[in-house]
Amino acid sequence: MKFASNSILYTIIFALFAQPLLAQDELNVYSARKEALIKPLLDQFAEQNNVTVNLVTSKADALIQRLLSEGKNSPADVLITVDAGRLYRAKKAGLFQALDPKIFSEYAPPQYQDPEGYWFGLSMRVRMFVYDPNKVDPSKLSSYESLASPEWENKICIRSSNNIYNQSLVASLIAHHGIDNTQVWANEFIKTFARKPQGGDRDQIKAVAAGQCELGIVNTYYLGQMLTGTKEEQTAASKVKVFWPNQKPPHADGAHVNVSGIGVTKHAKNPGLAIKLIEYLYSDESQAWYANVNFEYPVRSNIPINDILTSWGEFTADTINLDQLGILNGEAVQVMDRAGWR
């Protein structure tokens, strides 16, 4: 009986103390990035640190709503999502906890991180022009602003106004030019649409390749993915050329950029391990992975990029702090609605 009693005692002690120890070795990640675009990095992090990483993927807005519904009972330690506008929404909803803004300052320029330390940009994409070289003389291209010109009437393909990437682009124009000037631009820009805004960025590239429009506005990584995708995608993508907007006066603010980013959730059970994950996602290995696998630009300037990104040439990026894209999102949506951009 004494042996049995000791066994029960040891079982109780193990039950009391083993669970917290196991919890310290687990990290729960909510990600709006598709599994294929984040899980390999998480698996590598888990292996290197001898921890378990549990991944939940869904649409960004659905994950934000889930975190709101779960409240303090949420198991999530971090939220990974795309676009500074969504990162700002999560911050304003109280879903992130603030870290010292200097904690990752050595990894990325300050404009790619929340100034209060609520979120941190991990990889960068550019909203660039893709054009039909048989119809467009690149010497005539210059800036986003220049597209609101009669010469482009019925020639441009772009996604709808409910797309966060376009909302952020318009927000950046408001940041540079003010709401009134941006409204004037938007009122003219919608006259350039070759068709009703529809589909995703890949669809804009395909439309240019098919001759449905002469120019499209898309995020860089979509073209990279198509160039290495199916035979049909490669054929379409090979028919377009790339142009970096806003590189020269009178509109030399730099090409509009955005980020995928991460924040530690307000009710994270394992914030220490969450911070360790962010450090890993800023590592040479992870930053190179973004460029080589997903065709995004590393936020760290010293990381080599692959041949496809290199072939598009160098560009100057806009340097506004990306929190402005979230702050001005509501005004951007209003500008687009008033202009009739649907």
Side-chain angles (χ1 to χ4, degrees), residues 23-72:
Q24 291 301 308
D25 293 331
E26 286 199 4
L27 188 73
N28 295 312
V29 176
Y30 283 9
S31 174
R33 308 222 64 173
K34 293 180 180 179
E35 184 172 313
L37 302 180
I38 190 63
K39 192 173 187 299
L41 288 176
L42 298 180
D43 288 345
Q44 189 68 23
F45 172 78
E47 181 179 350
Q48 290 183 9
N49 293 276
N50 193 29
V51 298
T52 298
V53 177
N54 304 308
L55 175 64
V56 173
T57 60
S58 187
K59 297 289 187 180
D61 292 337
L63 289 175
I64 289 174
Q65 186 57 50
R66 178 169 177 169
L67 283 166
L68 285 170
S69 300
E70 291 172 342
K72 64 180 181 180

Side-chain angles (χ1 to χ4, degrees), residues 80-115:
I80 298 173
T81 190
V82 293
D83 198 278
R86 290 196 179 105
L87 290 162
Y88 179 82
R89 287 179 192 173
K91 170 188 171 180
K92 294 301 290 183
L95 300 180
F96 291 144
Q97 58 178 274
L99 304 177
D100 183 346
K102 298 178 181 178
I103 192 170
F104 302 118
S105 61
E106 65 181 286
Y107 297 116
Q111 65 264 29
Y112 302 146
Q113 301 180 352
D114 178 66

Side-chain angles (χ1 to χ4, degrees), residues 145-153 156 185 188-189 191-192:
E145 292 87 345
S146 70
L147 297 182
S149 168
E151 67 181 285
W152 287 104
E153 190 169 344
I156 294 176
W185 172 86
E188 296 303 313
F189 180 60
K191 299 175 185 177
T192 69

